[in-house]
Structure formats: structure tokens, C-alpha cells
Amino acid sequence: MIAVAILAAGRGTRMKSHLPKVLHSLGGRSLVQRVLDSLSDIQPSRRLVIIGYGGDAVQDALQLEAGLEFVLQTEQLGTGHAAQQLMPHLQGFEGDLLILNGDVPLIRPQTIKLLLDTHQQAQNAATILTAHLPDPKGYGRVFCDGQNIVKQIVEDRDCTMAQKQNRRINAGIYCFRWSALAEILPQLQSNNDQQEYYLTDTVNYLEPVMAVDVDDYQEILGINDRKQLASAYGILQTRVKEDWMAAGVTMVDPDSITIDDAVQIAPDVIIEPQTHLRGKTSIQSGCRIGPGSLVENSQIGKNVTVLYSVVTDSVVQANSRVGPYAHLRGRVEVGETCRIGNFVELKNTTLGDRTNVAHLSYLGDATVGTQVNVGAGTITANYDGVNKHPTVIGDRSKTGSNSVLVAPITVGADVTVAAGSTLTDDVPDDSLAIARARQVVKPGWRLPEAKSDQQNKKPSD
Ligand code: UD1
Ligand code: CA
């Protein structure tokens, strides 16, 4: 049996943030969420999260994770003290406890599996994950004998100059035989530079403790400040983009592109420079996305182009063209073979197939049929200052340039709306609607003659 505990109670002072460190976002998922997701290759029977600073916020952020147990560490007196809080919860638990720092988010599921398998096969009291870092500054140094048996872990700030030369570091990911750990946890002392109870000191009391090296040291980089958060993002981006390129996606200037790791991209998609794909987005084959676009939580069908545009929480069906300079937001659904053109904003709007909104329009809370032509500058006036109202436009209708549809309003099918109309009433199918003042022409009309200079002078001149 395996239980997992994630240490997530610390404030993360070096982040200089009100947000608990483990809730900072890395490529669309919080640090602690990433650590939880790294458990996908093992089947823990229990998952405990130790919370403290900002505990309510951490609990809220993880509320969709079924079966998590939260353990409160009211004072943060160190990682060993955090582990001590588990004792009443795991009383009588017979099995292994995997402990992970909540601020080590790049760990791969296979690595955790390897740690656990090694621990169980060797029947160790504890097995810890280590890495050889080019720059080990800030990490606990791990001292082993020739057989990878751990003798001591010394925190960076407690190291002598000679000890600092050791580049083998503690990743903050451990497997313990719980019964052995529970016995010695109460014995921890806080006689170190930080006056904290260190989980790492448990290796002094347990036997045997084995170190397992991770192949790719980038997996175990801890996040303690914003600089490390940024470099972790860089590592993640390199991983994600290399995977997509290997899967058949073309990226023009990958350094200028960012892709969250929940994004799905089919082969033969071209991602152009300065393009950002975020959240639960999927892109079907044949699409060209960018340059200069942001697509977030959206589904893009086959052969769609999105040029210099922002698409959020929306669906765009096959063969449609979006942009340049379009903004789709708030559950927009664009049908097949549509054209959403220059300077168009769509909000909570559905467009049927082969409908065009090509220039300078705002459609909000609108349901538009198929083969509709929304003329340049057509606006739905959907907001009366208090409430939002719907607009419906039937199939094959055409709105003239600069029309205003004052919602709530229904324009039927096969309707033509004259340019410059302000429609306030419904329009039946098969009709022409004109709602504008008639043009007045006065033949022979001239400006009045200019008055003579003398008469024109003001008294002050
Ligand atoms: C810790 C390790 C260090 C290792 C490094 C790897 C100890 C003593 N040191 O150092 O050997 O190289 O991680 O990244 O363990 N936390 C609590 N309660 C507390 C204190 C911390 O839950 O009272 C949590 C934090 O939220 C964090 C994790 O434990 O997620 C690690 O704490 P942190 O203070 O960042 O430890 P490091 O100094 O990085
Ligand atoms: Ca840390």
C-alpha cells in the first residue's frame, strides 16, 4: 500500500507574494496540481496534502480532486515538522509513504515510479531522489557511500565550504517505510541555521537509506523565487514544443511561441511566430494559427486560419478564417467556412455555416443563421445599460453597412437590412427593412453670403 503526502504549507517567502507559493501557475496549472498529476503512474490508496499558509486557498484550488485529505500545519516549523503532522492521520498505516515537496513541479511520473520500485525491491527504510546539478546552490547536499547508501543530508546554509563542493543534491522527493519513519519523527531536533525541523535529518536515524539519481536533472528543480519559476516555464516549454514538433506540428520561430501542456494539436498544423495556445485548446489538422494570436480554451476545426487574433472559450469549425484582428470570447461558436474579418468582436454568439462577418462589427448574445452576410460596421446593441438582450438573424439575411440591431430583436430569414438602419422592431422573413431618415435634397441651396468686413467686426477688434 502506498500513501502520498505533499508538503504545501510553506508561504514561499522568496516569491514575495500573497499567493501561497504552491498556487503559482506554471503553464496553466498550479505547482501543487502538477505535483499531484505526477502521481499518474502509481496508485496511491491515500493522498494527503499538508497545508498551512493560505491553506483555504490551496484547499479551494484543489477542490475538484476527489479523495484528497488535507492536513493542517498551523505553524510552519520545517519540512520535518510538516511530516510530524501526518502521524495522527496515518496511525496504523502499513505501507510506504511517498513524500513530495509541493514546489518541485517538473517531476515526471516515470521518475516517481522508478523511485517507488527501487524502494520496494531493495526493501529500504527510505529511498530518496537525488540529482547532480551544475549549480547546486540552495539545495540540500546528499552524502553517500560508494553503494548509494545515504550517510547524511546537509542543507546548503548549514554546509561547510568543503561540503558545498558536493553537487549531488536532494530533490525533495522521498519514499519512506511509514512504520520506520513514524517511530523516529518525534526525535527530530531543530539545531540548525534556520531553527527548523528538517525532514532530511530522518536519514540519520533510518537504515538503510538509498539514493536514486534522476537522469534529467531539470525534473527536480525546485521553485523558490520568480526567477526559478520563469526558468521552469522555459524547461516546460522546450519539452512541450519538442514533443509537438516530433508529432508533426510545424513551428515557425518556436522561441516566440508558448503552448500550455493541456493543449492538443494535430499533425500538419502550422504555428506561426508570436502565437500562444493556452488552457484546454485543441487544433485540428491543416490549421494555420498566427502570427500574433492567442487561442485559449478553444476548439479549432480543420483547415482554419487564425491571423493576429484572440480566441477564448470558443469553437471554430472547419475551413473558417478568423482575423486579422478579430476577438472571439465568451462561448462563441463559428460554423464551417465562415469569415470573421478585420476588427470584429464576437461575444456569446453562434454563427451558422458559410456566414461572414467581415469588417468592423460587434455581435454579442446573437444567434446568426447560415449564409448570412453581416455588413461592415453592423452592431448588435445588446446592452440597455442594465441587462443584456439577444439578437437573432435568420438564414441568408444581409445587414447593410453600419446597421444597428437594438436587442431584443429577431430578424427573419432572407431579410435585407438597408445600410445605416437602426432596427428596433422584429423583421419578418423575406423582407427589406429600412430604418433611417430619408435623405433630403434642396435644389439650388447655397450658404448665406459672407457679411462685409466692416459689419463682421466685433466691438473688441
Ligand atoms: C528542501 C530540502 C532540501 C532540498 C530542497 C529541494 C529540507 C530541510 N530541505 O529545501 O534538502 O534540496 O527542498 O527542493 O527539507 N513546507 C511545509 N511546511 C514547512 C516548511 C516547508 O509544508 O514547515 C513545504 C513548502 O511549502 C515546500 C516544501 O515543503 O513545498 C519545501 O520547503 P522549502 O522551504 O522550499 O525547502 P527548501 O529550502 O527548498
Ligand atoms: Ca524549495
Side-chain angles (χ1 to χ4, degrees):
M1 266 219 291
I2 306 155
V4 173
I6 298 177
L7 308 187
R11 172 174 184 169
T13 317
R14 285 166 281 177
M15 294 299 279
K16 309 239 164 68
S17 174
H18 290 298
L19 194 66
K21 173 166 70 175
V22 294
L23 288 190
H24 280 262
S25 171
L26 181 60
R29 279 186 287 157
S30 67
L31 303 185
V32 64
Q33 183 68 58
R34 284 185 175 276
V35 174
L36 275 168
D37 293 347
S38 72
L39 305 173
S40 58
D41 281 7
I42 62 171
Q43 282 83 39
S45 52
R46 296 177 65 181
R47 295 181 304 164
L48 303 97
V49 181
I50 299 170
I51 54 173
Y53 180 83
D56 289 345
V58 177
Q59 213 165 332
D60 276 358
L62 296 177
Q63 63 184 0
L64 294 180
E65 288 282 332
L68 282 188
E69 298 169 59
F70 292 95
V71 176
L72 188 63
Q73 183 193 19
T74 38
E75 266 185 299
Q76 288 81 56
L77 304 179
T79 50
H81 180 254
Q84 286 171 348
Q85 311 310 307
L86 295 167
M87 298 187 59
H89 298 267
L90 291 177
Q91 210 158 22
F93 174 74
E94 296 283 334
D96 292 313
L97 175 68
L98 183 71
I99 297 186
L100 302 112
N101 279 2
D103 64 350
V104 183
L106 298 176
I107 191 78
R108 287 190 167 95
Q110 310 84 286
T111 307
I112 298 209
K113 179 97 171 70
L114 174 75
L115 178 74
L116 194 64
D117 288 349
T118 311
H119 175 79
Q120 292 180 336
Q121 275 156 24
Q123 302 193 340
N124 296 324
T127 312
I128 72 166
L129 196 66
T130 55
H132 298 263
L133 289 196
D135 176 13
K137 195 161 171 285
Y139 290 89
R141 305 300 204 283
V142 180
F143 297 87
C144 294
D145 70 8
Q147 266 66 53
N148 283 322
I149 297 301
V150 178
K151 294 293 160 205
Q152 204 187 3
I153 303 178
V154 186
E155 288 308 295
D156 184 67
R157 57 207 304 163
D158 300 314
C159 277
T160 62
M161 285 311 278
Q163 285 173 320
K164 282 195 182 185
Q165 302 309 307
N166 179 5
R167 290 199 272 149
R168 190 171 197 179
I169 65 95
N170 167 29
I173 293 169
Y174 325 75
C175 208
F176 292 96
R177 190 190 309 138
W178 170 248
S179 55
L181 180 65
E183 213 166 286
I184 53 107
L185 272 176
Q187 298 173 39
L188 291 179
Q189 306 286 316
S190 60
N191 49 358
N192 51 56
D193 185 57
Q194 295 193 89
Q195 306 282 296
E196 284 188 356
Y197 298 91
Y198 287 167
L199 179 59
T200 45
D201 284 347
T202 58
V203 307
N204 303 332
Y205 306 90
L206 296 170
E207 211 177 330
V209 179
M210 190 186 277
V212 174
D213 273 326
V214 63
D215 282 342
D216 173 8
Y217 75 83
Q218 292 189 325
E219 279 185 50
I220 57 80
L221 297 176
I223 311 294
N224 300 299
D225 57 33
R226 308 265 181 167
K227 198 168 159 226
Q228 288 171 328
L229 184 66
S231 55
Y233 186 70
I235 292 165
L236 201 65
Q237 282 302 307
T238 306
R239 266 193 206 172
V240 169
K241 286 184 277 190
E242 284 179 356
D243 286 353
W244 285 123
M245 287 189 270
V249 174
T250 292
M251 290 192 204
V252 182
D253 187 17
D255 284 349
S256 74
I257 294 168
T258 62
I259 302 177
D260 280 0
D261 57 2
V263 171
Q264 293 294 321
I265 314 175
D268 288 325
V269 165
I270 300 175
I271 316 274
E272 298 265 6
Q274 304 290 352
T275 291
H276 308 284
L277 307 179
R278 300 265 160 86
K280 290 198 168 60
T281 285
S282 65
I283 315 272
Q284 301 293 320
S285 65
C287 287
R288 175 184 165 213
I289 312 293
S293 294
L294 169 65
V295 182
E296 189 161 19
N297 295 323
S298 295
Q299 279 66 59
I300 309 292
K302 283 187 179 171
N303 306 318
V304 167
T305 61
V306 177
L307 197 59
Y308 288 108
S309 291
V310 175
V311 179
T312 54
D313 305 317
S314 294
V315 177
V316 179
Q317 309 270 22
N319 304 314
S320 287
R321 284 156 52 192
V322 176
Y325 309 112
H327 185 189
L328 281 55
R329 63 185 177 96
R331 296 179 307 282
V332 165
E333 288 183 42
V334 173
E336 289 188 11
T337 324
C338 291
R339 193 147 60 88
I340 315 302
N342 311 257
F343 305 103
V344 167
E345 179 179 358
L346 304 180
K347 188 220 73 178
N348 185 31
T349 282
T350 303
L351 305 184
D353 296 345
R354 282 164 291 144
T355 281
N356 294 335
V357 190
H359 329 267
L360 300 160
S361 280
Y362 169 65
L363 303 184
D365 308 306
T367 306
V368 181
T370 59
Q371 285 179 272
V372 171
N373 191 68
V374 177
T378 297
I379 305 288
T380 56
N382 62 327
Y383 185 49
D384 59 14
V386 183
N387 295 307
K388 303 281 172 71
H389 300 286
T391 299
V392 176
I393 303 177
D395 296 343
R396 297 171 303 279
S397 288
K398 295 176 171 54
T399 65
S401 297
N402 218 28
S403 356
V404 179
L405 310 180
V406 181
I409 190 166
T410 299
V411 173
D414 301 293
V415 165
T416 298
V417 176
S421 292
T422 297
L423 298 187
T424 52
D425 299 320
D426 289 356
V427 181
D429 292 353
D430 243 330
S431 52
L432 168 69
I434 310 175
R436 63 185 181 213
R438 262 195 185 284
Q439 181 168 326
V440 176
V441 177
K442 299 188 176 178
W445 186 91
R446 294 267 166 83
L447 282 170
E449 290 286 309
K451 292 174 184 152
S452 76
D453 270 5
Q454 199 52 44
Q455 285 172 311
N456 223 359
K457 273 196 170 159
K458 293 184 194 147
S460 60
D461 284 343

